[in-house]
């Protein structure tokens, strides 16, 4: 099948979102899935946040989903969760999001997330039973210092002797916790001893406490103990991650996504036990590179795994649904380098032979700006391509001047996702704090060449 024939065939498969604005047909595709993974091809596109919010609302209200788990750190998300569940602390959504101080701050401190958080709080206010309230949780592992301090703070209240043991264990790495990459380098090359045994020991102690609770019939693990146990898991896996950064291959990436999958499993089990059923229903928000099945990408061919792959491998068929999001052109919030300020940047039109260019060409004759492409259980035209496609991934850093090398990879989207939403022309997410590099006017079309 030629490229033009593929585009023509795809046109019959695409569903303009304007014809299904409330996602009725998409929810039919999701069916009885209890783990719904919602992706994004950039970390800074407003439409992705808003569309995921609307899908999440329907899953929560109509399908009884229990939680949102997102690509962010556990302690920062837990502060938001307490706010939306009317527990304690903050009095506004921006205040609840104040824990997100680490780069990239705008990824969660933006106007779209504020709207989601306020909706969750309003929804939970009507829930009545606190056990029915929907939480907001983090899947990531970058919060080494915050998580260690959270473990100690919990134990200071519950068991001062255990708190002293935790301080002794965490002292091994605490002096380097603000610069974990330096720790990883020094431990890998023998300039300091590694702290793996200490962090494993602390996680084991809290896990034994949790196991004692679980051994009692009808006695689920208390939330605060579960949160502390998860923080200990973050600290343990973060230590492994930072050492793996200096090992060859995809070790660090695989540690991170395995941690995400383990956290998702622990959260499903804990929330399910608290609500008196087998496992909770959870919506996951993360980048396409995490939620699309890695086995269908060139990274997977090289040994990289990811959350979407692990979910498919570890849960029965039909239990999960992987929804990717793509865009052809527009604007995006991103930095030019790691730890750089948020900038408003133009997204360059997608390259030839890319998934995004094919969807752009296929949708052009249909009109509209956004389309749904169902894939699961279908013999899609994407399965009969004349040559492999490339696919774009913009993270928190966007380098248009090295676009092909920095942001594209080979992929088979028909195996990677269960469905796709394509927004042909998209707009940047709006940060709560805007630097001089982020202005309200649209970035010029000629960026970055100036032509």
């Amino acid at each position: 099948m030629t490229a033009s024939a593929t585009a023509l065939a795809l046109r019959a498969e695409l569903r303009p979102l304007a014809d299904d604005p409330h996602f009725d047909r998409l929810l039919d595709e999701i069916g009885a899935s209890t783990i719904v993974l919602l992706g994004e091809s950039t970390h800074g596109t407003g439409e992705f946040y808003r569309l995921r919010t609307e899908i999440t609302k329907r899953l929560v209200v109509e399908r009884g989903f229990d939680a949102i788990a997102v690509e962010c750190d556990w302690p920062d998300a837990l502060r938001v969760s307490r706010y939306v569940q009317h527990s304690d602390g903050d009095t506004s959504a921006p205040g609840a999001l104040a824990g997100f101080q680490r780069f990239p701050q705008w990824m969660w401190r933006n106007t779209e997330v504020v709207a989601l958080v306020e909706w969750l709080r309003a929804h939970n206010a009507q829930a009545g039973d606190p056990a029915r309230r929907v939480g907001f949780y983090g899947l990531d592992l970058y919060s080494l210092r915050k998580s260690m301090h959270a473990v100690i703070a919990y134990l200071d209240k519950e068991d001062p002797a255990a708190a002293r043991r935790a301080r002794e264990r965490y002292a091994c790495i605490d002096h380097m916790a603000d610069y974990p990459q330096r720790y990883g380098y020094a431990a890998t090359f023998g300039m300091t001893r590694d702290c793996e045994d200490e962090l494993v020991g602390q996680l084991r102690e809290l896990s034994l406490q949790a196991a004692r609770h679980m051994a009692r019939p009808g006695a689920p693990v208390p939330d605060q103990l579960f949160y502390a146990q998860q923080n200990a898991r973050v600290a343990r896996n973060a230590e492994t991650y930072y050492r793996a950064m200096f090992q060859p291959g995809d070790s660090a990436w695989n540690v991170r996504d395995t941690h995400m999958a383990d956290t998702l499993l622990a959260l499903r089990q804990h929330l399910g036990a608290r609500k008196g059923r087998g496992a909770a229903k959870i919506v996951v928000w993360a980048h396409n590179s995490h939620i699309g099945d890695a086995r269908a990408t060139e990274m997977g061919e090289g040994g990289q795994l990811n959350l979407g792959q692990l979910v498919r491998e570890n849960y029965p068929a039909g239990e999960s649904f992987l929804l990717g999001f793509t865009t052809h052109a527009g604007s995006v919030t991103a930095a030019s380098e790691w730890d750089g300020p948020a900038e408003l940047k133009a997204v360059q039109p997608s390259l030839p032979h890319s998934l995004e260019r094919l969807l752009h060409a296929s949708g052009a004759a249909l009109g509209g700006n956004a389309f749904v492409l169902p894939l699961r259980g279908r013999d899609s035209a994407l399965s009969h391509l004349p040559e492999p496609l490339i696919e774009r991934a913009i993270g928190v850093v966007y380098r248009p001047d090295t676009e092909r090398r920095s942001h594209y990879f080979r992929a088979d989207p028909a195996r990677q996702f269960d469905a796709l939403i394509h927004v042909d022309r998209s707009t940047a997410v709006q940060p709560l704090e805007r630097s001089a590099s982020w202005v309200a006017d649209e970035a010029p079309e000629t960026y970055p060449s100036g032509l």
Side-chain angles (χ1 to χ4, degrees):
M1 186 182 291
T2 65
S4 59
T6 301
L8 185 63
L10 268 183
R11 194 176 302 164
E13 299 178 34
L14 288 176
R15 300 173 179 173
L17 199 53
D19 293 347
D20 187 25
H22 302 297
F23 304 103
D24 292 333
R25 296 174 71 181
L26 178 61
L27 262 68
D28 289 341
E29 298 286 340
I30 291 172
S33 300
T34 61
I35 310 171
V36 178
L37 287 76
L38 305 180
E40 57 184 359
S41 59
T42 91
H43 277 321
T45 296
E47 284 83 358
F48 297 161
Y49 284 82
R50 293 192 291 273
L51 290 170
R52 291 186 300 183
T53 293
E54 294 308 310
I55 295 167
T56 299
K57 287 179 180 179
R58 291 206 60 185
L59 291 172
V60 167
V61 173
E62 299 174 30
R63 302 287 175 89
F65 272 62
D66 303 291
I68 305 172
V70 304
E71 186 186 341
C72 73
D73 290 327
W74 180 264
D76 299 336
L78 193 56
R79 179 171 173 178
V80 177
S81 196
R82 288 177 171 133
Y83 172 73
V84 301
Q85 295 187 78
H86 300 263
S87 296
D88 54 25
D90 298 291
T91 59
S92 70
L97 292 162
F100 293 99
Q101 295 298 318
R102 182 181 62 80
F103 176 85
Q105 192 180 31
W106 75 85
M107 188 173 158
W108 298 109
R109 284 189 58 77
N110 60 61
T111 57
E112 286 79 1
V113 173
V114 166
L116 168 67
V117 169
E118 292 291 25
W119 180 85
L120 278 173
R121 183 173 170 87
H123 170 81
N124 285 335
Q126 304 172 27
D129 182 359
R132 294 177 53 211
R133 293 173 182 169
V134 177
F136 184 93
Y137 303 95
L139 295 175
D140 229 325
L141 49 52
Y142 292 119
S143 57
L144 178 59
R145 179 179 288 282
K146 276 188 177 181
S147 287
M148 291 192 302
H149 288 187
V151 169
I152 292 170
Y154 165 78
L155 292 173
D156 276 338
K157 295 178 181 178
E158 300 294 327
D159 187 341
R164 287 193 294 274
R165 292 193 295 273
R167 282 188 172 88
E168 291 172 3
R169 292 178 178 127
Y170 287 156
C172 176
I173 197 173
D174 189 65
H175 65 293
M176 299 187 77
D178 286 333
Y179 306 98
Q181 294 92 338
R182 295 182 188 177
Y183 161 78
Y185 181 86
T188 299
F189 295 102
M191 291 179 282
T192 187
R193 74 180 185 91
D194 72 59
C195 300
E196 180 178 11
D197 289 347
E198 286 80 359
L199 276 75
V200 169
Q202 186 55 52
L203 174 58
R204 183 182 296 118
E205 182 171 330
L206 283 168
S207 297
L208 287 172
Q209 286 189 38
R212 285 193 288 270
H213 277 278
M214 293 172 67
R216 305 171 192 164
V221 177
D223 283 347
Q224 298 307 315
L225 173 54
F226 173 73
Y227 300 156
Q229 180 188 16
Q230 181 58 30
N231 272 307
R233 181 177 289 113
V234 170
R236 182 258 189 270
N237 289 340
E239 188 274 339
T240 304
Y241 172 82
Y242 286 111
R243 282 190 290 109
M245 286 179 66
F246 298 95
Q247 298 172 10
D250 295 302
S251 297
W253 175 278
N254 290 350
V255 167
R256 185 182 174 207
D257 272 56
T258 300
H259 171 82
M260 289 186 182
D262 290 346
T263 300
L264 180 61
L265 173 61
L267 193 58
R268 274 171 57 84
Q269 292 175 335
H270 174 71
L271 294 179
R274 194 179 73 180
K275 294 171 185 288
R277 59 175 186 263
K281 299 179 180 181
I282 299 181
V283 186
V284 175
W285 287 28
H287 198 278
N288 285 352
S289 56
H290 295 294
I291 71 103
D293 192 327
R295 294 171 296 182
T297 71
E298 67 175 281
M299 288 80 74
E301 294 169 3
Q304 189 179 102
L305 53 77
N306 71 356
L307 175 62
Q309 171 187 340
L310 293 171
V311 165
R312 279 182 169 175
E313 289 177 340
N314 293 321
Y315 297 96
E319 188 79 2
S320 66
F321 193 88
L322 280 54
L323 177 62
F325 287 72
T326 62
T327 186
H328 165 66
S331 62
V332 67
T333 297
S336 292
E337 60 186 2
W338 190 262
D339 269 341
E343 301 176 37
L344 178 61
K345 295 190 169 196
V347 176
Q348 299 300 289
S350 56
L351 294 178
H353 311 298
S354 68
L355 169 65
E356 294 80 5
R357 178 64 66 89
L358 181 58
L359 293 173
H360 167 71
S362 301
L366 297 176
N369 187 52
F371 308 90
V372 177
L373 177 64
L375 293 169
R376 186 165 71 180
R378 288 174 169 79
D379 185 24
S380 172
L382 290 180
S383 301
H384 304 280
L385 296 167
E387 59 184 9
L389 287 175
I390 55 175
E391 191 174 304
R392 179 155 58 186
I394 298 172
V396 295
V397 173
Y398 182 37
R399 298 188 175 104
D401 51 328
T402 59
E403 179 115 26
R404 175 62 181 90
R405 183 175 72 252
S406 300
H407 300 291
Y408 281 90
F409 59 94
R410 284 185 292 102
D412 178 357
R415 293 192 298 118
Q416 188 184 7
F417 301 106
D418 293 313
L420 285 164
I421 289 182
H422 178 73
V423 180
D424 203 56
R425 186 169 189 83
S426 55
T427 54
V429 72
Q430 299 186 46
L432 295 185
E433 293 84 18
R434 299 183 184 180
S435 70
S437 302
W438 205 105
V439 293
D441 296 330
E442 186 80 11
E445 289 290 335
T446 54
Y447 181 87
S449 65
L451 298 176

